[in-house]
């Protein structure tokens, strides 16, 4: 793994925050529901499934906002018994932080907002680098051939 | 639109099953979930009503493992087909890399199929994506039922441009993997 670049910066920012805040897991998720950056320990949580629901949930909330004439609801807070979730839009992506139930969201909210500001610029860079800005990337014919044969193997009827 | 994360060396492709209500989109994903090698599938998420109608989406991730240095995954989604869920349907198209249109072959669903196809074009284009270039296949489902239209007729209504199309009986698993195979190959080709 490269020791510099936006992925490293974003992961580093999230990692430091986890240590200082006692949060369990922080994810940056793109608008299509894919995990861009992850830090911390997912434990029992299925991070892939979690990310797909967070992205849809966040997008749905943007729609709710526009229906009541707000530009957005930038942060979403869910306080539970066992765990709590903080969600915010950041740099064209979505930041989700999972805390265990002992931390009240009212107290971590301002901290998390600072985190969002800190990781915004690496996240923008990362999205641009990944093609999320609409640039087209091309992979080698080698890769395409290898994936195609894997698709044939895996998606054979009645496997 | 495909996200190639060079830094973490991951490629995640988003494939969306679209089409009229009760056409069989969720049934397609359920069959894939039931029959694919369990090591490759992740958790399936279904946000549905008590009567099993999709309310927001279904989600099923498939992990192809590391291929030539890239962790390669397909994320399969279905949308809610019922007309009045358009806002939710549109959200799920964000960042789409490939589309499967599941048509209901029954005669009395002909109009609903055409309407869903128009709605797909409208929603995709509202994001500035180009339907001409998005990997796209069409599935004529429910071929087991008695009151179905001949494929030629469905083709004339839904596939004037001669895209890849396939027949299916999703409840029996027929044509389900062929459809996924066809769309995922198109998605991968679009990356070369
Ligand atoms: N006979 C027959 N029934 C099918 C077939 N495929 C799906 N069905 C049935 O059609 C009904 C609707 O299927 P779903 O997969 O839930 O349809 P959907 O497209 O997800 O519907 P929405 O979520 O409302 O958009 C179910 O009762 C299925 O069992 C098929 O090939 N043949
Ligand atoms: Mg459904």
């Amino acid at each position: 793994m490269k020791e510099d670049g936006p992925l490293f910066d974003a992961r580093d920012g999230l990692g430091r925050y986890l240590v200082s805040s006692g949060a369990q897991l922080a994810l940056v998720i793109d608008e299509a529901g894919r995990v861009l950056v992850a830090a911390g320990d997912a434990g029992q949580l299925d991070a892939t499934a979690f990310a797909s629901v967070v992205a849809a949930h966040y997008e749905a909330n943007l729609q709710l906002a526009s229906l009541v004439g707000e530009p957005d609801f930038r942060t979403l807070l869910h306080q539970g018994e066992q765990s709590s979730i903080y969600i915010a839009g950041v740099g064209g992506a979505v930041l989700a932080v999972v805390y265990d139930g002992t931390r009240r969201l009212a107290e971590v909210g301002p901290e998390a907002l600072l985190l969002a500001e800190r990781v915004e610029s690496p996240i923008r860079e990362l999205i641009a680098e990944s093609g999320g800005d609409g640039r087209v990337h091309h992979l080698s014919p080698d890769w395409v051939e290898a994936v195609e044969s894997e698709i044939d193997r895996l998606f054979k009827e009645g496997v | 639109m495909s996200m190639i994360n060079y830094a973490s060396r991951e490629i995640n492709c988003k494939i969306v099953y679209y089409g009229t209500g009760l056409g069989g989109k969720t049934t397609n994903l359920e069959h894939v979930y039931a029959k694919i090698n369990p090591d490759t599938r992740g958790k399936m998420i279904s946000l549905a009503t008590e009567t099993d109608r999709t309310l927001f989406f279904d989600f099923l991730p498939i992990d192809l493992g590391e291929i030539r240095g890239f962790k390669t995954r397909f994320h399969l989604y279905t949308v809610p087909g019922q007309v009045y869920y358009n806002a939710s349907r549109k959200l799920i198209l964000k960042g789409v890399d490939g589309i499967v249109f599941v048509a209901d072959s029954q005669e009395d669903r002909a109009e609903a199929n055409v309407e869903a196809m128009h709605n797909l074009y409208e929603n995709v284009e509202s994001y500035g994506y180009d339907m001409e270039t998005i990997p796209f296949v069409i599935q004529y489902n429910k071929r087991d039922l008695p009151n179905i239209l001949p494929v030629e007729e469905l083709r004339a209504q839904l596939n004037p441009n001669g895209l890849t199309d396939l027949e299916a009986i999703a409840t029996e698993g027929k044509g389900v993997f062929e459809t996924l195979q066809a769309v995922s190959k198109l998605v991968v080709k679009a990356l070369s």
Side-chain angles (χ1 to χ4, degrees):
Chain A
M1 187 62 59
K2 287 195 298 182
E3 286 295 296
D4 54 17
L7 179 68
F8 181 80
D9 292 345
R11 197 178 277 158
D12 190 49
L14 295 181
R16 281 165 199 267
Y17 175 72
L18 293 186
V19 172
S20 71
S21 68
Q24 291 176 336
L25 176 70
L27 299 174
V28 177
I29 299 155
D30 78 0
E31 61 175 17
R34 299 174 273 224
V35 177
L36 283 177
V37 192
D41 179 15
Q44 300 293 335
L45 180 80
D46 184 323
T48 308
F50 179 77
S52 77
V53 179
V54 167
H57 176 51
Y58 181 74
E59 289 296 335
N61 272 278
L62 288 183
Q63 294 299 314
L64 284 181
S66 88
L67 290 173
V68 297
E70 287 288 329
D72 54 28
F73 295 136
R74 277 211 61 193
T75 55
L76 309 172
L77 306 172
H78 301 290
Q79 177 86 55
E81 296 284 331
Q82 303 299 323
S83 52
S84 301
I85 310 172
Y86 169 94
I87 297 170
V90 91
V94 183
L95 170 68
V97 187
V98 181
Y99 302 88
D100 77 34
T102 57
R103 293 229 56 191
R104 309 310 297 172
L105 279 176
E107 57 188 66
V108 296
E111 288 170 23
L113 201 60
L114 281 179
L115 168 71
E117 283 168 16
R118 205 171 338 133
V119 293
E120 172 154 5
S121 115
I123 288 171
R124 278 194 196 286
E125 259 182 82
L126 188 66
I127 288 178
E129 197 181 83
S130 308
D133 58 350
R135 272 189 302 164
V136 181
H137 291 275
H138 297 287
L139 286 159
S140 73
D142 250 22
W143 177 83
V144 173
E145 230 173 82
V147 177
E148 281 185 334
S149 71
E150 188 59 22
I151 287 171
D152 286 337
R153 202 181 61 77
L154 195 61
F155 297 164
K156 249 186 343 225
E157 190 67 64
V159 261
Chain B
M1 271 168 286
S2 260
M3 273 285 177
I4 305 173
N5 196 329
Y6 285 99
S8 59
R9 305 202 62 81
E10 288 180 358
I11 298 171
N12 293 300
C13 303
K14 179 171 186 173
I15 295 173
V16 175
Y17 285 69
Y18 210 92
T20 181
L22 297 177
K25 301 175 291 297
T26 298
T27 309
N28 266 267
L29 254 63
E30 284 170 344
H31 181 76
V32 172
Y33 182 83
K35 286 290 153 66
I36 201 162
N37 177 351
D39 297 339
T40 67
R41 67 170 193 220
K43 189 177 169 65
M44 180 158 169
I45 299 273
S46 287
L47 304 188
T49 65
E50 278 175 18
T51 54
D52 282 339
R53 303 298 301 268
T54 304
L55 184 60
F56 200 171
F57 62 87
D58 302 298
F59 169 70
L60 174 63
I62 308 278
D63 195 338
L64 271 63
E66 185 162 320
I67 299 180
R68 297 270 192 278
F70 283 97
K71 275 173 248 150
T72 306
R73 300 193 193 92
F74 291 107
H75 286 182
L76 312 185
Y77 283 84
T78 75
V79 299
Q82 293 180 85
V83 175
Y84 47 85
Y85 288 143
N86 191 47
S88 308
R89 193 159 47 235
K90 193 168 145 185
L91 291 183
I92 301 306
L93 285 171
K94 268 212 167 171
V96 66
D97 295 307
I99 297 169
V100 175
F101 185 91
V102 178
D104 190 325
S105 298
Q106 298 178 91
E107 260 165 37
D108 59 356
R109 300 299 287 159
E111 208 176 310
N113 288 328
V114 171
E115 199 181 311
M117 186 66 90
H118 283 151
N119 174 260
L120 169 64
Y121 273 73
E122 213 171 270
N123 282 339
V124 164
E125 283 163 5
S126 77
Y127 287 124
Y129 309 154
D130 181 3
M131 275 304 285
E132 301 290 306
T133 57
I134 292 185
F136 183 26
V137 306
I138 298 172
Q139 179 188 80
Y140 308 119
N141 190 32
K142 306 201 181 180
R143 298 309 295 167
D144 58 318
L145 292 178
N147 55 333
I148 54 172
L149 292 172
V151 168
E152 299 72 56
E153 208 162 317
L154 288 163
R155 211 169 256 154
Q157 288 168 0
L158 301 169
N159 191 12
N161 298 328
L163 301 168
T164 303
D165 54 9
L166 307 100
E167 296 182 50
I169 307 173
T171 35
E172 297 170 17
K174 291 207 175 106
V176 169
F177 276 99
E178 284 90 337
T179 303
L180 179 55
Q181 195 171 18
V183 72
S184 52
K185 281 191 175 182
L186 290 178
V187 167
V188 165
K189 276 214 181 71
L191 287 171
S192 70

